[in-house]
Amino acid sequence: MERTAVLGRLSWRFATVLEVTAETDQTHSIVLDAPDWPGHLAGQHVDVRLTADDGYQAQRSYSIASAPSDEQLVLTVERLDDGEVSPYLVDELRAGDRIELRGPVGGYFVWRPTDAVPALLVAGGSGIVPFRAMLREHGAAMSAAPIRLLYSARTFDQVIYREELLRLAARDGIDVSITLTRAQPAGWHGYTGRVDTALLRQVSWPPEEHPAVYVCGPTGFVEATANALVGLGHDPGRIRTERFGGTS
Amino acid sequence: MTDRLDGNAIAGALQEVFGREMTTATGVCGHCGDSNRLGALAVYLAGPGTVARCPGCDAVLLVLAEVRGVTCVDALGFADLQPAG
Ligand SMILES: Cc1cc2nc3c(=O)[nH]c(=O)nc-3n(C[C@H](O)[C@H](O)[C@H](O)COP(=O)(O)OP(=O)(O)OC[C@H]3O[C@@H](n4cnc5c(N)ncnc54)[C@H](O)[C@@H]3O)c2cc1C
Ligand SMILES: [Zn+2]
């Protein structure tokens, strides 16, 4: 293939922060007003760019947490204490601030309500974000495709979108399983421990049913989970992954 | 920023360069012949340059670099690259 250098055709736009709400201690949702937003698909993300006073720029990707049918664009960001961009987005942003973004981008890690096959969604930590958009979209489009979500969080307090997930789980066709890896509150009825082969076997559809599989979260989590799924007999070609970075 | 990511992480940069959604495009590795959606490539962001490797054999398929605000792509590792239909 030839070498090419082409001027950018995807433009950056300013979005105004309408509201910042805490989901957990470490994680905030940022509600944005993005004028002329072209619409998006559940699972797509945006690139966010910050520019310092001296012109220094930093850019990161954030999944879109809102469904295509939602009125506002929402991102959910987890603060990494040693991070460059996420502490700013979580701690410093206020209503009225503007951030630069481009998107929506991505077409690979996307779920469409016209997809009729069962889907298994496996999330680690903030990897739940694109799945929240998919589950909302599932409801809004009254999709008949069965969906199972397996969500791994360290503690009950770190479960993002907790109330909403419980509400969604009450819907027909959506199953939500949560596993808490570090500590469990008294009377916890969900799973405990890391996502492993035994838990995946219990929660997922058998490979013979050819489910669509989506795995999202920190790199190490995604790799261990995808390997375990392949070990169970799932077709690697039907497992879509989105690595958020980091190794935990 | 040398974590292993995947092709989703360069969706925006690729769309900027190619002018269309590319994570669903299929690339054939010039080294081992595997074909993969670009979304499934192993991607390493390292400052100004980004490298995408074949998830099967680790060969370098694509290099992205930003030079004075212009994103340049070198896709020499592919034997073939077909945008999604
Ligand atoms: C396609 C895509 C979608 C994403 N969507 C989201 C999202 O919806 N919400 C969200 O909070 N993040 C998301 N991320 C991760 C996000 O882009 C940043 O990597 C993250 O916010 C860390 O940025 P930072 O500048 O704070 O940390 P950096 O300064 O980049 O990194 C600081 C340290 O943390 C490690 N690290 C980097 N990322 C992670 C991580 N995700 N987990 C654990 N350790 C990490 C690094 O190796 C480094 O040691 C997504 C990433 C991708 C590629
Ligand atoms: Zn290869």
Side-chain angles (χ1 to χ4, degrees):
Chain A
M1 310 241 49
E2 82 269 38
R3 287 166 197 258
T4 47
V6 189
L7 278 169
R9 284 171 263 184
L10 186 66
S11 57
W12 291 92
R13 65 177 78 222
F14 279 101
T16 304
V17 176
L18 295 174
E19 195 187 352
V20 179
T21 58
E23 300 285 356
T24 72
D25 275 2
Q26 298 290 326
T27 310
H28 286 181
S29 282
I30 301 163
V31 183
L32 295 166
D33 173 33
D36 305 316
W37 182 247
H40 64 276
L41 301 169
Q44 286 190 299
H45 64 269
V46 295
D47 292 336
V48 171
R49 181 166 78 179
L50 302 176
T51 307
D53 290 337
D54 65 2
Y56 171 77
Q57 291 188 323
Q59 186 187 315
R60 297 289 185 273
S61 300
Y62 292 97
S63 298
I64 300 170
S66 45
S69 55
D70 287 340
E71 228 153 86
Q72 279 134 359
L73 185 67
V74 180
L75 308 180
T76 302
V77 179
E78 178 185 18
R79 178 203 305 114
L80 301 180
D81 290 331
D82 61 339
E84 186 183 333
V85 171
S86 62
Y88 175 82
L89 295 175
V90 172
D91 299 331
E92 308 292 335
L93 273 192
R94 300 283 178 270
D97 289 348
R98 299 204 304 164
I99 57 173
E100 247 184 315
L101 51 85
R102 72 175 175 193
V105 293
Y108 177 70
F109 200 79
V110 154
W111 180 84
R112 292 178 174 81
T114 48
D115 295 349
V117 298
L120 172 68
L121 319 179
V122 189
S126 57
I128 189 70
V129 178
F131 297 149
R132 192 238 207 172
M134 295 180 193
L135 292 171
R136 284 190 163 199
E137 171 80 332
H138 184 277
M142 295 191 289
S143 162
I147 290 197
R148 288 183 187 169
L149 168 72
L150 173 58
Y151 179 13
S152 171
R154 291 198 176 120
T155 64
F156 191 62
D157 288 339
Q158 290 187 32
V159 175
I160 305 169
Y161 315 130
R162 201 162 59 206
E163 314 295 320
E164 179 170 354
L165 290 177
L166 295 176
R167 271 201 311 277
L168 284 164
R171 296 183 61 101
D172 283 347
I174 295 182
D175 258 16
V176 174
S177 303
I178 297 176
T179 184
L180 300 179
T181 59
R182 295 267 171 96
Q184 299 81 31
W188 172 248
H189 292 298
Y191 294 103
T192 61
R194 288 171 162 248
V195 170
D196 59 10
T197 301
L199 182 52
L200 287 166
R201 182 185 286 119
Q202 213 172 326
V203 170
S204 64
W205 279 276
E208 305 81 62
E209 293 189 32
H210 305 293
V213 182
Y214 297 79
V215 185
C216 186
T219 296
F221 172 87
V222 168
E223 295 190 347
T225 302
N227 287 338
L229 286 161
V230 171
L232 281 171
H234 288 271
D235 173 4
R238 297 188 68 84
I239 303 175
R240 271 169 278 203
T241 57
E242 183 155 277
R243 292 169 175 80
F244 274 12
T247 43
S248 61
Chain B
M1 295 286 295
T2 51
D3 292 333
R4 178 185 167 156
L5 299 171
D6 44 45
N8 304 300
I10 51 169
L14 290 175
Q15 186 168 336
E16 186 173 315
V17 174
F18 289 94
R20 57 183 300 175
E21 205 298 292
M22 289 298 287
T23 58
T24 49
T26 302
V28 178
C29 172
H31 186 71
C32 74
D34 261 14
S35 81
N36 283 289
R37 304 291 198 102
L38 300 200
L41 299 186
V43 165
Y44 302 83
L45 309 178
T50 295
V51 174
R53 293 176 178 273
C54 173
C57 77
D58 230 29
V60 173
L61 298 181
L62 189 111
V63 178
L64 284 165
E66 201 180 300
V67 185
R68 287 187 290 277
V70 180
T71 303
C72 301
V73 64
D74 181 339
L76 281 170
F78 290 110
D80 189 31
L81 183 55
Q82 295 293 336

PDB file of all heavy atoms in Angstrom, chain B residues 4-26:
ATOM      1  N   ARG B   4      -0.960  -2.032  25.690  1.00  0.00           N
ATOM      2  CA  ARG B   4      -1.565  -2.625  24.509  1.00  0.00           C
ATOM      3  C   ARG B   4      -3.051  -2.243  24.471  1.00  0.00           C
ATOM      4  O   ARG B   4      -3.800  -2.516  25.392  1.00  0.00           O
ATOM      5  CB  ARG B   4      -1.444  -4.156  24.556  1.00  0.00           C
ATOM      6  CG  ARG B   4      -2.116  -4.752  23.347  1.00  0.00           C
ATOM      7  CD  ARG B   4      -2.159  -6.255  23.356  1.00  0.00           C
ATOM      8  NE  ARG B   4      -3.102  -6.658  22.305  1.00  0.00           N
ATOM      9  CZ  ARG B   4      -3.078  -7.830  21.713  1.00  0.00           C
ATOM     10  NH1 ARG B   4      -2.201  -8.724  22.037  1.00  0.00           N
ATOM     11  NH2 ARG B   4      -3.970  -8.106  20.789  1.00  0.00           N
ATOM     12  N   LEU B   5      -3.435  -1.598  23.400  1.00  0.00           N
ATOM     13  CA  LEU B   5      -4.851  -1.283  23.189  1.00  0.00           C
ATOM     14  C   LEU B   5      -5.300  -2.057  21.954  1.00  0.00           C
ATOM     15  O   LEU B   5      -4.635  -2.981  21.518  1.00  0.00           O
ATOM     16  CB  LEU B   5      -5.031   0.223  23.006  1.00  0.00           C
ATOM     17  CG  LEU B   5      -4.597   1.077  24.213  1.00  0.00           C
ATOM     18  CD1 LEU B   5      -4.591   2.551  23.870  1.00  0.00           C
ATOM     19  CD2 LEU B   5      -5.519   0.823  25.402  1.00  0.00           C
ATOM     20  N   ASP B   6      -6.445  -1.691  21.393  1.00  0.00           N
ATOM     21  CA  ASP B   6      -6.825  -2.315  20.130  1.00  0.00           C
ATOM     22  C   ASP B   6      -7.241  -1.236  19.148  1.00  0.00           C
ATOM     23  O   ASP B   6      -7.185  -0.043  19.449  1.00  0.00           O
ATOM     24  CB  ASP B   6      -7.887  -3.400  20.325  1.00  0.00           C
ATOM     25  CG  ASP B   6      -8.970  -2.967  21.259  1.00  0.00           C
ATOM     26  OD1 ASP B   6      -9.447  -1.822  21.123  1.00  0.00           O
ATOM     27  OD2 ASP B   6      -9.337  -3.751  22.143  1.00  0.00           O
ATOM     28  N   GLY B   7      -7.649  -1.668  17.984  1.00  0.00           N
ATOM     29  CA  GLY B   7      -7.916  -0.734  16.889  1.00  0.00           C
ATOM     30  C   GLY B   7      -8.978   0.309  17.203  1.00  0.00           C
ATOM     31  O   GLY B   7      -9.016   1.363  16.555  1.00  0.00           O
ATOM     32  N   ASN B   8      -9.824   0.043  18.212  1.00  0.00           N
ATOM     33  CA  ASN B   8     -10.819   1.053  18.581  1.00  0.00           C
ATOM     34  C   ASN B   8     -10.129   2.352  18.981  1.00  0.00           C
ATOM     35  O   ASN B   8     -10.655   3.444  18.748  1.00  0.00           O
ATOM     36  CB  ASN B   8     -11.665   0.571  19.769  1.00  0.00           C
ATOM     37  CG  ASN B   8     -12.341  -0.746  19.500  1.00  0.00           C
ATOM     38  OD1 ASN B   8     -13.127  -0.861  18.563  1.00  0.00           O
ATOM     39  ND2 ASN B   8     -12.007  -1.758  20.276  1.00  0.00           N
ATOM     40  N   ALA B   9      -8.964   2.212  19.593  1.00  0.00           N
ATOM     41  CA  ALA B   9      -8.259   3.379  20.126  1.00  0.00           C
ATOM     42  C   ALA B   9      -7.770   4.319  19.024  1.00  0.00           C
ATOM     43  O   ALA B   9      -7.462   5.474  19.294  1.00  0.00           O
ATOM     44  CB  ALA B   9      -7.080   2.931  20.997  1.00  0.00           C
ATOM     45  N   ILE B  10      -7.684   3.822  17.783  1.00  0.00           N
ATOM     46  CA  ILE B  10      -7.235   4.697  16.696  1.00  0.00           C
ATOM     47  C   ILE B  10      -8.347   4.958  15.680  1.00  0.00           C
ATOM     48  O   ILE B  10      -8.092   5.429  14.567  1.00  0.00           O
ATOM     49  CB  ILE B  10      -5.974   4.146  15.982  1.00  0.00           C
ATOM     50  CG1 ILE B  10      -6.167   2.692  15.564  1.00  0.00           C
ATOM     51  CG2 ILE B  10      -4.749   4.303  16.870  1.00  0.00           C
ATOM     52  CD1 ILE B  10      -5.074   2.175  14.627  1.00  0.00           C
ATOM     53  N   ALA B  11      -9.593   4.683  16.102  1.00  0.00           N
ATOM     54  CA  ALA B  11     -10.726   4.894  15.186  1.00  0.00           C
ATOM     55  C   ALA B  11     -10.769   6.332  14.672  1.00  0.00           C
ATOM     56  O   ALA B  11     -10.968   6.573  13.478  1.00  0.00           O
ATOM     57  CB  ALA B  11     -12.044   4.543  15.890  1.00  0.00           C
ATOM     58  N   GLY B  12     -10.565   7.284  15.600  1.00  0.00           N
ATOM     59  CA  GLY B  12     -10.640   8.694  15.216  1.00  0.00           C
ATOM     60  C   GLY B  12      -9.519   9.080  14.264  1.00  0.00           C
ATOM     61  O   GLY B  12      -9.746   9.743  13.248  1.00  0.00           O
ATOM     62  N   ALA B  13      -8.302   8.650  14.598  1.00  0.00           N
ATOM     63  CA  ALA B  13      -7.149   8.977  13.743  1.00  0.00           C
ATOM     64  C   ALA B  13      -7.315   8.358  12.358  1.00  0.00           C
ATOM     65  O   ALA B  13      -7.026   8.990  11.339  1.00  0.00           O
ATOM     66  CB  ALA B  13      -5.862   8.494  14.410  1.00  0.00           C
ATOM     67  N   LEU B  14      -7.783   7.119  12.310  1.00  0.00           N
ATOM     68  CA  LEU B  14      -7.957   6.456  11.013  1.00  0.00           C
ATOM     69  C   LEU B  14      -9.037   7.144  10.181  1.00  0.00           C
ATOM     70  O   LEU B  14      -8.892   7.335   8.972  1.00  0.00           O
ATOM     71  CB  LEU B  14      -8.329   4.974  11.201  1.00  0.00           C
ATOM     72  CG  LEU B  14      -7.232   4.067  11.750  1.00  0.00           C
ATOM     73  CD1 LEU B  14      -7.776   2.667  12.008  1.00  0.00           C
ATOM     74  CD2 LEU B  14      -6.043   4.006  10.790  1.00  0.00           C
ATOM     75  N   GLN B  15     -10.122   7.529  10.871  1.00  0.00           N
ATOM     76  CA  GLN B  15     -11.202   8.203  10.136  1.00  0.00           C
ATOM     77  C   GLN B  15     -10.719   9.546   9.583  1.00  0.00           C
ATOM     78  O   GLN B  15     -11.100   9.960   8.501  1.00  0.00           O
ATOM     79  CB  GLN B  15     -12.419   8.397  11.043  1.00  0.00           C
ATOM     80  CG  GLN B  15     -13.614   8.952  10.285  1.00  0.00           C
ATOM     81  CD  GLN B  15     -14.887   8.878  11.100  1.00  0.00           C
ATOM     82  OE1 GLN B  15     -15.013   8.062  12.013  1.00  0.00           O
ATOM     83  NE2 GLN B  15     -15.837   9.744  10.780  1.00  0.00           N
ATOM     84  N   GLU B  16      -9.837  10.181  10.366  1.00  0.00           N
ATOM     85  CA  GLU B  16      -9.295  11.452   9.904  1.00  0.00           C
ATOM     86  C   GLU B  16      -8.463  11.257   8.635  1.00  0.00           C
ATOM     87  O   GLU B  16      -8.569  12.003   7.681  1.00  0.00           O
ATOM     88  CB  GLU B  16      -8.434  12.066  11.008  1.00  0.00           C
ATOM     89  CG  GLU B  16      -7.940  13.445  10.666  1.00  0.00           C
ATOM     90  CD  GLU B  16      -7.237  14.077  11.852  1.00  0.00           C
ATOM     91  OE1 GLU B  16      -7.771  13.997  12.973  1.00  0.00           O
ATOM     92  OE2 GLU B  16      -6.160  14.633  11.640  1.00  0.00           O
ATOM     93  N   VAL B  17      -7.651  10.218   8.640  1.00  0.00           N
ATOM     94  CA  VAL B  17      -6.763   9.985   7.504  1.00  0.00           C
ATOM     95  C   VAL B  17      -7.509   9.454   6.280  1.00  0.00           C
ATOM     96  O   VAL B  17      -7.304   9.915   5.160  1.00  0.00           O
ATOM     97  CB  VAL B  17      -5.645   8.984   7.882  1.00  0.00           C
ATOM     98  CG1 VAL B  17      -4.821   8.621   6.663  1.00  0.00           C
ATOM     99  CG2 VAL B  17      -4.747   9.583   8.960  1.00  0.00           C
ATOM    100  N   PHE B  18      -8.378   8.456   6.517  1.00  0.00           N
ATOM    101  CA  PHE B  18      -9.020   7.793   5.381  1.00  0.00           C
ATOM    102  C   PHE B  18     -10.343   8.437   4.975  1.00  0.00           C
ATOM    103  O   PHE B  18     -10.916   8.094   3.938  1.00  0.00           O
ATOM    104  CB  PHE B  18      -9.252   6.308   5.698  1.00  0.00           C
ATOM    105  CG  PHE B  18      -7.987   5.490   5.748  1.00  0.00           C
ATOM    106  CD1 PHE B  18      -7.320   5.273   6.948  1.00  0.00           C
ATOM    107  CD2 PHE B  18      -7.439   4.949   4.589  1.00  0.00           C
ATOM    108  CE1 PHE B  18      -6.156   4.520   6.994  1.00  0.00           C
ATOM    109  CE2 PHE B  18      -6.273   4.197   4.626  1.00  0.00           C
ATOM    110  CZ  PHE B  18      -5.628   3.984   5.833  1.00  0.00           C
ATOM    111  N   GLY B  19     -10.854   9.330   5.852  1.00  0.00           N
ATOM    112  CA  GLY B  19     -12.095  10.002   5.501  1.00  0.00           C
ATOM    113  C   GLY B  19     -13.325   9.127   5.653  1.00  0.00           C
ATOM    114  O   GLY B  19     -14.405   9.477   5.190  1.00  0.00           O
ATOM    115  N   ARG B  20     -13.163   7.955   6.311  1.00  0.00           N
ATOM    116  CA  ARG B  20     -14.323   7.096   6.568  1.00  0.00           C
ATOM    117  C   ARG B  20     -14.018   6.182   7.748  1.00  0.00           C
ATOM    118  O   ARG B  20     -12.880   6.061   8.175  1.00  0.00           O
ATOM    119  CB  ARG B  20     -14.653   6.264   5.330  1.00  0.00           C
ATOM    120  CG  ARG B  20     -13.477   5.405   4.862  1.00  0.00           C
ATOM    121  CD  ARG B  20     -13.812   4.662   3.602  1.00  0.00           C
ATOM    122  NE  ARG B  20     -14.954   3.771   3.827  1.00  0.00           N
ATOM    123  CZ  ARG B  20     -15.539   3.056   2.878  1.00  0.00           C
ATOM    124  NH1 ARG B  20     -15.140   3.150   1.634  1.00  0.00           N
ATOM    125  NH2 ARG B  20     -16.544   2.260   3.160  1.00  0.00           N
ATOM    126  N   GLU B  21     -15.064   5.549   8.252  1.00  0.00           N
ATOM    127  CA  GLU B  21     -14.922   4.631   9.371  1.00  0.00           C
ATOM    128  C   GLU B  21     -14.032   3.464   8.920  1.00  0.00           C
ATOM    129  O   GLU B  21     -14.301   2.834   7.912  1.00  0.00           O
ATOM    130  CB  GLU B  21     -16.316   4.118   9.763  1.00  0.00           C
ATOM    131  CG  GLU B  21     -16.454   3.651  11.189  1.00  0.00           C
ATOM    132  CD  GLU B  21     -15.573   2.474  11.572  1.00  0.00           C
ATOM    133  OE1 GLU B  21     -15.792   1.356  11.075  1.00  0.00           O
ATOM    134  OE2 GLU B  21     -14.646   2.691  12.363  1.00  0.00           O
ATOM    135  N   MET B  22     -12.965   3.185   9.663  1.00  0.00           N
ATOM    136  CA  MET B  22     -12.032   2.146   9.223  1.00  0.00           C
ATOM    137  C   MET B  22     -11.906   0.961  10.188  1.00  0.00           C
ATOM    138  O   MET B  22     -11.272  -0.039   9.852  1.00  0.00           O
ATOM    139  CB  MET B  22     -10.636   2.753   9.005  1.00  0.00           C
ATOM    140  CG  MET B  22     -10.520   3.650   7.788  1.00  0.00           C
ATOM    141  SD  MET B  22     -10.849   2.814   6.214  1.00  0.00           S
ATOM    142  CE  MET B  22      -9.357   1.826   6.022  1.00  0.00           C
ATOM    143  N   THR B  23     -12.501   1.031  11.392  1.00  0.00           N
ATOM    144  CA  THR B  23     -12.291  -0.093  12.323  1.00  0.00           C
ATOM    145  C   THR B  23     -13.003  -1.359  11.842  1.00  0.00           C
ATOM    146  O   THR B  23     -12.679  -2.461  12.263  1.00  0.00           O
ATOM    147  CB  THR B  23     -12.746   0.232  13.770  1.00  0.00           C
ATOM    148  OG1 THR B  23     -14.130   0.583  13.761  1.00  0.00           O
ATOM    149  CG2 THR B  23     -11.934   1.375  14.347  1.00  0.00           C
ATOM    150  N   THR B  24     -13.984  -1.193  10.949  1.00  0.00           N
ATOM    151  CA  THR B  24     -14.671  -2.365  10.401  1.00  0.00           C
ATOM    152  C   THR B  24     -14.060  -2.800   9.069  1.00  0.00           C
ATOM    153  O   THR B  24     -14.503  -3.780   8.471  1.00  0.00           O
ATOM    154  CB  THR B  24     -16.174  -2.086  10.203  1.00  0.00           C
ATOM    155  OG1 THR B  24     -16.314  -0.849   9.501  1.00  0.00           O
ATOM    156  CG2 THR B  24     -16.895  -1.974  11.537  1.00  0.00           C
ATOM    157  N   ALA B  25     -13.060  -2.061   8.587  1.00  0.00           N
ATOM    158  CA  ALA B  25     -12.362  -2.469   7.359  1.00  0.00           C
ATOM    159  C   ALA B  25     -11.555  -3.730   7.649  1.00  0.00           C
ATOM    160  O   ALA B  25     -11.156  -3.976   8.785  1.00  0.00           O
ATOM    161  CB  ALA B  25     -11.431  -1.355   6.889  1.00  0.00           C
ATOM    162  N   THR B  26     -11.330  -4.518   6.626  1.00  0.00           N
ATOM    163  CA  THR B  26     -10.577  -5.760   6.801  1.00  0.00           C
ATOM    164  C   THR B  26      -9.187  -5.613   6.212  1.00  0.00           C
ATOM    165  O   THR B  26      -9.031  -5.199   5.057  1.00  0.00           O
ATOM    166  CB  THR B  26     -11.307  -6.928   6.110  1.00  0.00           C
ATOM    167  OG1 THR B  26     -12.618  -7.019   6.665  1.00  0.00           O
ATOM    168  CG2 THR B  26     -10.571  -8.247   6.345  1.00  0.00           C
TER     169      THR B  26
END
